[in-house]
Amino acid sequence: MSLPFHPADGDPVPPALRGFARAHADLVELHEKPAHLVARHRNPARRVGLVSGGGSGHEPLHAGFLGRGMLDAVAPGKVFASPHNKQVLEASRKAAGPAGVIHVVKNYTGDRINFGIAAERLRLEGIVVRRVLVDDDLATESDETATGRRGTGATVVVEKLLGAAADTGLGLDELADLGAEFAAASRSLAVASRAQTSMHTGRPSFELEAGELEYGVGIHGERAQKTIDRPGTEELVDRMLDELVAGLPEGPDEVLAVVNGMGGTTLLELYGLHDLVAAGLERRGLTLAGELVGTFVPALDMAGFSLTLTRLQPEWKAWWTAPAVTPAFPRTIEEVA
């Protein structure tokens, strides 16, 4: 048993938000009632505000991507729980530009409901709003899944591309349509060898036998639809790439790849996985036009990783490499220079 280092009252979110805001006071501003965070800086050319949010436990998603070049405001929920619609409403009021606001929403029932309620209230106030729904998880692409594919690792890709596009001064409908294209061009898969630690018991939230692997886990620690015998790492990455490439829409031979840790996976492992991904894409006739390696969308401390591929249109490249000054997105060479 290994209990997390959380406060005595058991709710880790409020102090974590305060600590995050202190650590990045030059970039973000925290409002506590209701809880939401706002970027201190935005490109003056931006006419549409970008708002996202979701349950805590996936840090740096979403607050880590607040700032110039990405998001304008974020509504953080409790651990693995949707933010309240009041949080989304306040975040959107502060973020809205003269041409409105876009909500970037992961495809989960609670997020869709609460962002939807906030959107209706915004419209009553005269603020125009559109939604970009991220639904990239191949593990839930099934006729038996009524809600459709979950929103997972591609969220970071959508927020980065959409943020850069918004900084060119595009309008609400143009950005919403682009966001839908970014999401539609992306597919993800995640695996885990150990579940996340329960905050209440200090034990793994589900058990796996030695040599087993959960194939297709969710970012809230959801178990996969199937548990498999754990293959070698090379074989595992090949299997995942086969499914991801088959799941991508037709298009150019250039892709973005995100190798994402689920919280308990070392960078030593992730960079090794990235090497396998790059070689595997080359064997499949695909060019790696952009990459992101690290822990960006974890499930607390789950031992595992996700792979995300995005079929890259030529005109999107400049948006991927455009500078983003946020707490967590890697700063580009251009921005550092």
Side-chain angles (χ1 to χ4, degrees), residues 161-175:
L161 292 173
L162 200 59
D167 282 351
T168 67
L170 293 179
L172 183 71
D173 291 338
E174 293 170 294
L175 288 170

Side-chain angles (χ1 to χ4, degrees), residues 271-286:
Y271 282 122
L273 290 165
H274 182 53
D275 184 57
L276 294 174
V277 168
L281 291 172
E282 184 177 356
R283 288 196 304 273
R284 290 165 174 81
L286 295 171

Side-chain angles (χ1 to χ4, degrees), residues 155-226:
T155 310
V156 181
V157 175
V158 172
E159 291 174 352
K160 175 63 180 72
L161 292 173
L162 200 59
D167 282 351
T168 67
L170 293 179
L172 183 71
D173 291 338
E174 293 170 294
L175 288 170
D177 291 345
L178 274 172
E181 291 181 32
F182 302 151
S186 303
R187 296 291 184 272
S188 299
L189 267 175
V191 299
S193 59
R194 176 179 53 77
Q196 74 280 4
T197 302
S198 167
M199 295 191 300
H200 307 293
T201 68
R203 301 182 184 281
S205 296
F206 59 81
E207 296 293 337
L208 286 172
E209 298 295 329
E212 289 185 336
L213 190 76
E214 284 292 286
Y215 191 90
V217 291
I219 62 171
H220 301 100
E222 303 99 328
R223 294 204 70 163
Q225 294 182 348
K226 52 189 173 184

Side-chain angles (χ1 to χ4, degrees), residues 126-145:
I127 298 174
V128 288
V129 57
R130 290 282 304 274
R131 183 187 72 181
V132 170
L133 188 69
V134 184
D135 57 348
D136 55 308
D137 184 18
L138 279 180
T140 46
E141 186 171 52
S142 167
D143 293 337
E144 300 173 2
T145 306

Side-chain angles (χ1 to χ4, degrees), residues 90-110:
E90 288 300 325
S92 302
R93 283 170 173 165
K94 291 188 177 67
V101 64
I102 283 181
H103 290 163
V104 180
V105 183
K106 300 187 300 301
N107 189 26
Y108 294 97
T109 302

Side-chain angles (χ1 to χ4, degrees), residues 107-129:
N107 189 26
Y108 294 97
T109 302
D111 288 3
R112 292 178 65 161
I113 289 173
N114 283 302
F115 273 86
I117 293 171
E120 287 303 310
R121 295 183 64 181
L122 289 166
R123 293 185 183 106
L124 290 173
E125 296 177 8
I127 298 174
V128 288
V129 57

Side-chain angles (χ1 to χ4, degrees), residues 35-60:
H36 60 287
L37 297 112
V38 180
R40 292 189 182 275
H41 311 289
R42 66 196 288 175
N43 190 314
R46 183 176 290 201
R47 300 190 296 127
V48 177
L50 301 183
V51 175
S52 194
S56 296
H58 311 301
E59 289 74 22

